[in-house]
mmCIF file of all heavy atoms in Angstrom:
data_model
loop_
_atom_site.group_PDB
_atom_site.id
_atom_site.type_symbol
_atom_site.label_atom_id
_atom_site.label_comp_id
_atom_site.label_asym_id
_atom_site.label_seq_id
_atom_site.Cartn_x
_atom_site.Cartn_y
_atom_site.Cartn_z
ATOM 1 N N GLY A 356 98.879 100.118 99.713
ATOM 2 C CA GLY A 356 98.249 100.411 101.007
ATOM 3 C C GLY A 356 98.649 101.769 101.521
ATOM 4 O O GLY A 356 99.775 102.235 101.255
ATOM 5 N N GLY A 357 97.714 102.408 102.231
ATOM 6 C CA GLY A 357 97.985 103.756 102.738
ATOM 7 C C GLY A 357 97.531 103.912 104.174
ATOM 8 O O GLY A 357 97.206 105.012 104.621
ATOM 9 N N GLY A 358 97.526 102.814 104.935
ATOM 10 C CA GLY A 358 97.115 102.882 106.341
ATOM 11 C C GLY A 358 98.318 103.065 107.259
ATOM 12 O O GLY A 358 99.368 103.577 106.850
ATOM 13 N N GLY A 359 98.160 102.620 108.505
ATOM 14 C CA GLY A 359 99.167 102.851 109.537
ATOM 15 C C GLY A 359 100.521 102.221 109.219
ATOM 16 O O GLY A 359 101.556 102.892 109.279
ATOM 17 N N VAL A 360 100.520 100.944 108.850
ATOM 18 C CA VAL A 360 101.802 100.263 108.606
ATOM 19 C C VAL A 360 102.465 100.828 107.350
ATOM 20 O O VAL A 360 103.674 101.049 107.315
ATOM 21 C CB VAL A 360 101.590 98.732 108.502
ATOM 22 C CG1 VAL A 360 102.868 98.043 108.102
ATOM 23 C CG2 VAL A 360 101.099 98.199 109.833
ATOM 24 N N SER A 361 101.658 101.099 106.333
ATOM 25 C CA SER A 361 102.195 101.684 105.106
ATOM 26 C C SER A 361 102.892 103.006 105.404
ATOM 27 O O SER A 361 103.982 103.278 104.876
ATOM 28 C CB SER A 361 101.060 101.909 104.097
ATOM 29 O OG SER A 361 101.490 102.774 103.084
ATOM 30 N N ASN A 380 96.588 103.139 96.775
ATOM 31 C CA ASN A 380 95.504 102.780 97.691
ATOM 32 C C ASN A 380 94.183 102.883 96.950
ATOM 33 O O ASN A 380 94.061 103.658 96.005
ATOM 34 C CB ASN A 380 95.476 103.728 98.909
ATOM 35 C CG ASN A 380 94.845 103.072 100.123
ATOM 36 O OD1 ASN A 380 95.499 102.284 100.794
ATOM 37 N ND2 ASN A 380 93.587 103.358 100.409
ATOM 38 N N ARG A 381 93.214 102.093 97.382
ATOM 39 C CA ARG A 381 91.890 102.281 96.790
ATOM 40 C C ARG A 381 91.309 103.576 97.368
ATOM 41 O O ARG A 381 91.791 104.063 98.404
ATOM 42 C CB ARG A 381 91.010 101.065 97.063
ATOM 43 C CG ARG A 381 90.818 100.761 98.533
ATOM 44 C CD ARG A 381 90.041 99.492 98.723
ATOM 45 N NE ARG A 381 89.688 99.335 100.132
ATOM 46 C CZ ARG A 381 88.978 98.339 100.615
ATOM 47 N NH1 ARG A 381 88.534 97.388 99.816
ATOM 48 N NH2 ARG A 381 88.686 98.264 101.894
ATOM 49 N N ASP A 383 89.267 104.707 99.407
ATOM 50 C CA ASP A 383 88.440 104.509 100.598
ATOM 51 C C ASP A 383 88.776 105.597 101.613
ATOM 52 O O ASP A 383 89.385 106.602 101.281
ATOM 53 C CB ASP A 383 88.640 103.090 101.162
ATOM 54 C CG ASP A 383 90.094 102.812 101.555
ATOM 55 O OD1 ASP A 383 90.910 103.746 101.566
ATOM 56 O OD2 ASP A 383 90.411 101.644 101.850
ATOM 57 N N PHE A 385 91.029 105.874 103.639
ATOM 58 C CA PHE A 385 92.460 106.120 103.855
ATOM 59 C C PHE A 385 93.059 107.063 102.801
ATOM 60 O O PHE A 385 94.180 107.515 102.946
ATOM 61 C CB PHE A 385 93.243 104.793 103.821
ATOM 62 C CG PHE A 385 92.947 103.908 104.996
ATOM 63 C CD1 PHE A 385 91.930 102.972 104.942
ATOM 64 C CD2 PHE A 385 93.678 104.023 106.179
ATOM 65 C CE1 PHE A 385 91.647 102.161 106.022
ATOM 66 C CE2 PHE A 385 93.397 103.221 107.267
ATOM 67 C CZ PHE A 385 92.385 102.283 107.182
ATOM 68 N N LEU A 410 94.670 102.553 93.362
ATOM 69 C CA LEU A 410 94.953 101.118 93.200
ATOM 70 C C LEU A 410 94.180 100.502 92.032
ATOM 71 O O LEU A 410 94.602 99.494 91.464
ATOM 72 C CB LEU A 410 94.599 100.405 94.516
ATOM 73 C CG LEU A 410 94.891 98.933 94.662
ATOM 74 C CD1 LEU A 410 96.375 98.640 94.523
ATOM 75 C CD2 LEU A 410 94.396 98.423 96.020
ATOM 76 N N ASN A 430 99.083 96.315 103.550
ATOM 77 C CA ASN A 430 97.649 96.444 103.853
ATOM 78 C C ASN A 430 97.158 95.089 104.364
ATOM 79 O O ASN A 430 97.963 94.199 104.593
ATOM 80 C CB ASN A 430 96.880 96.891 102.601
ATOM 81 C CG ASN A 430 97.050 95.880 101.496
ATOM 82 O OD1 ASN A 430 96.459 94.813 101.519
ATOM 83 N ND2 ASN A 430 97.914 96.187 100.534
ATOM 84 N N CYS A 431 95.832 94.961 104.538
ATOM 85 C CA CYS A 431 95.309 93.748 105.193
ATOM 86 C C CYS A 431 95.099 92.576 104.241
ATOM 87 O O CYS A 431 94.801 91.461 104.690
ATOM 88 C CB CYS A 431 93.945 94.037 105.817
ATOM 89 S SG CYS A 431 93.870 95.587 106.657
ATOM 90 N N VAL A 432 95.199 92.791 102.941
ATOM 91 C CA VAL A 432 94.891 91.713 101.990
ATOM 92 C C VAL A 432 95.995 90.649 102.065
ATOM 93 O O VAL A 432 97.178 90.962 101.980
ATOM 94 C CB VAL A 432 94.749 92.274 100.555
ATOM 95 C CG1 VAL A 432 94.479 91.152 99.554
ATOM 96 C CG2 VAL A 432 93.635 93.306 100.507
ATOM 97 N N MET A 434 95.755 88.550 104.752
ATOM 98 C CA MET A 434 95.500 88.106 106.134
ATOM 99 C C MET A 434 94.031 87.671 106.228
ATOM 100 O O MET A 434 93.200 88.180 105.473
ATOM 101 C CB MET A 434 95.750 89.314 107.048
ATOM 102 C CG MET A 434 95.666 89.041 108.513
ATOM 103 S SD MET A 434 95.964 90.580 109.435
ATOM 104 C CE MET A 434 94.364 91.330 109.413
ATOM 105 N N LEU A 437 91.016 87.481 104.292
ATOM 106 C CA LEU A 437 91.391 87.665 102.877
ATOM 107 C C LEU A 437 92.641 86.847 102.540
ATOM 108 O O LEU A 437 93.436 87.230 101.686
ATOM 109 C CB LEU A 437 91.642 89.159 102.585
ATOM 110 C CG LEU A 437 90.495 90.123 102.918
ATOM 111 C CD1 LEU A 437 90.907 91.575 102.709
ATOM 112 C CD2 LEU A 437 89.275 89.798 102.057
ATOM 113 N N LEU A 442 96.564 91.443 95.976
ATOM 114 C CA LEU A 442 96.222 92.628 95.182
ATOM 115 C C LEU A 442 96.876 92.584 93.814
ATOM 116 O O LEU A 442 96.524 93.359 92.937
ATOM 117 C CB LEU A 442 96.619 93.911 95.926
ATOM 118 C CG LEU A 442 95.752 94.251 97.142
ATOM 119 C CD1 LEU A 442 96.217 95.544 97.789
ATOM 120 C CD2 LEU A 442 94.280 94.354 96.760
ATOM 121 N N VAL A 458 103.776 92.867 104.696
ATOM 122 C CA VAL A 458 103.750 93.181 106.137
ATOM 123 C C VAL A 458 102.872 92.178 106.887
ATOM 124 O O VAL A 458 102.995 92.030 108.099
ATOM 125 C CB VAL A 458 103.266 94.623 106.422
ATOM 126 C CG1 VAL A 458 104.124 95.636 105.701
ATOM 127 C CG2 VAL A 458 101.805 94.819 106.098
ATOM 128 N N VAL A 459 101.993 91.481 106.170
ATOM 129 C CA VAL A 459 101.126 90.492 106.821
ATOM 130 C C VAL A 459 101.996 89.356 107.355
ATOM 131 O O VAL A 459 102.868 88.858 106.642
ATOM 132 C CB VAL A 459 100.074 89.951 105.820
ATOM 133 C CG1 VAL A 459 99.290 88.788 106.415
ATOM 134 C CG2 VAL A 459 99.127 91.068 105.384
ATOM 135 N N TYR A 460 101.792 88.980 108.630
ATOM 136 C CA TYR A 460 102.636 87.926 109.214
ATOM 137 C C TYR A 460 101.854 86.656 109.547
ATOM 138 O O TYR A 460 102.437 85.665 109.990
ATOM 139 C CB TYR A 460 103.384 88.433 110.457
ATOM 140 C CG TYR A 460 102.522 89.075 111.510
ATOM 141 C CD1 TYR A 460 101.863 88.311 112.462
ATOM 142 C CD2 TYR A 460 102.355 90.446 111.546
ATOM 143 C CE1 TYR A 460 101.059 88.904 113.409
ATOM 144 C CE2 TYR A 460 101.567 91.057 112.497
ATOM 145 C CZ TYR A 460 100.918 90.275 113.425
ATOM 146 O OH TYR A 460 100.115 90.866 114.365
ATOM 147 N N GLY A 481 106.064 89.190 106.764
ATOM 148 C CA GLY A 481 105.816 90.181 107.811
ATOM 149 C C GLY A 481 106.343 89.794 109.186
ATOM 150 O O GLY A 481 106.585 90.661 110.029
ATOM 151 N N MET A 484 109.635 91.314 109.894
ATOM 152 C CA MET A 484 109.490 92.754 110.197
ATOM 153 C C MET A 484 109.078 92.944 111.654
ATOM 154 O O MET A 484 109.621 93.785 112.367
ATOM 155 C CB MET A 484 108.433 93.343 109.252
ATOM 156 C CG MET A 484 107.993 94.740 109.612
ATOM 157 S SD MET A 484 106.735 95.334 108.445
ATOM 158 C CE MET A 484 106.271 96.859 109.272
ATOM 159 N N LEU A 485 108.122 92.123 112.086
ATOM 160 C CA LEU A 485 107.629 92.219 113.470
ATOM 161 C C LEU A 485 108.762 91.935 114.469
ATOM 162 O O LEU A 485 108.958 92.677 115.441
ATOM 163 C CB LEU A 485 106.504 91.195 113.652
ATOM 164 C CG LEU A 485 105.701 91.279 114.929
ATOM 165 C CD1 LEU A 485 104.863 92.546 114.930
ATOM 166 C CD2 LEU A 485 104.773 90.066 115.057
ATOM 167 N N GLN A 488 111.289 94.730 114.687
ATOM 168 C CA GLN A 488 110.847 95.877 115.500
ATOM 169 C C GLN A 488 111.223 95.667 116.953
ATOM 170 O O GLN A 488 111.661 96.578 117.649
ATOM 171 C CB GLN A 488 109.334 96.022 115.442
ATOM 172 C CG GLN A 488 108.805 96.619 114.194
ATOM 173 C CD GLN A 488 107.304 96.460 114.127
ATOM 174 O OE1 GLN A 488 106.592 96.651 115.104
ATOM 175 N NE2 GLN A 488 106.808 96.086 112.968
HETATM 176 P P1 NAD B 218 95.066 100.053 108.546
HETATM 177 O O1 NAD B 218 93.672 99.703 108.960
HETATM 178 O O2 NAD B 218 95.721 101.266 109.105
HETATM 179 O O3 NAD B 218 95.134 100.160 106.927
HETATM 180 C C1 NAD B 218 94.513 99.189 106.127
HETATM 181 C C2 NAD B 218 94.957 99.402 104.690
HETATM 182 O O4 NAD B 218 94.495 98.294 103.924
HETATM 183 C C3 NAD B 218 94.377 100.654 104.025
HETATM 184 O O5 NAD B 218 95.351 101.165 103.149
HETATM 185 C C4 NAD B 218 93.198 100.094 103.242
HETATM 186 O O6 NAD B 218 92.852 100.918 102.147
HETATM 187 C C5 NAD B 218 93.753 98.776 102.797
HETATM 188 N N1 NAD B 218 92.762 97.758 102.495
HETATM 189 C C6 NAD B 218 91.965 97.113 103.376
HETATM 190 N N2 NAD B 218 91.219 96.203 102.743
HETATM 191 C C7 NAD B 218 91.555 96.262 101.427
HETATM 192 C C8 NAD B 218 91.121 95.576 100.269
HETATM 193 N N3 NAD B 218 90.183 94.631 100.320
HETATM 194 N N4 NAD B 218 91.677 95.912 99.088
HETATM 195 C C9 NAD B 218 92.620 96.877 99.002
HETATM 196 N N5 NAD B 218 93.079 97.547 100.074
HETATM 197 C C10 NAD B 218 92.533 97.253 101.272
HETATM 198 O O7 NAD B 218 95.900 98.742 108.864
HETATM 199 P P2 NAD B 218 97.450 98.644 109.207
HETATM 200 O O8 NAD B 218 97.628 98.943 110.649
HETATM 201 O O9 NAD B 218 98.197 99.428 108.213
HETATM 202 O O10 NAD B 218 97.708 97.081 109.032
HETATM 203 C C11 NAD B 218 97.827 96.499 107.749
HETATM 204 C C12 NAD B 218 98.360 95.092 107.870
HETATM 205 O O11 NAD B 218 99.649 95.146 108.476
HETATM 206 C C13 NAD B 218 97.549 94.137 108.733
HETATM 207 O O12 NAD B 218 97.282 93.007 107.948
HETATM 208 C C14 NAD B 218 98.457 93.739 109.873
HETATM 209 O O13 NAD B 218 98.395 92.379 110.140
HETATM 210 C C15 NAD B 218 99.820 94.037 109.339
HETATM 211 N N6 NAD B 218 100.773 94.446 110.382
HETATM 212 C C16 NAD B 218 102.044 93.971 110.278
HETATM 213 C C17 NAD B 218 102.986 94.337 111.208
HETATM 214 C C18 NAD B 218 104.365 93.781 111.095
HETATM 215 O O14 NAD B 218 105.220 94.163 111.897
HETATM 216 N N7 NAD B 218 104.650 92.915 110.165
HETATM 217 C C19 NAD B 218 102.669 95.218 112.237
HETATM 218 C C20 NAD B 218 101.358 95.696 112.310
HETATM 219 C C21 NAD B 218 100.420 95.304 111.370
#
Side-chain angles (χ1 to χ4, degrees):
V360 174
S361 164
N380 206 79
R381 59 185 189 178
D383 60 9
F385 291 91
L410 185 61
N430 60 75
C431 317
V432 178
M434 185 181 83
L437 304 175
L442 288 181
V458 303
V459 172
Y460 52 84
M484 169 181 172
L485 190 68
Q488 283 169 43

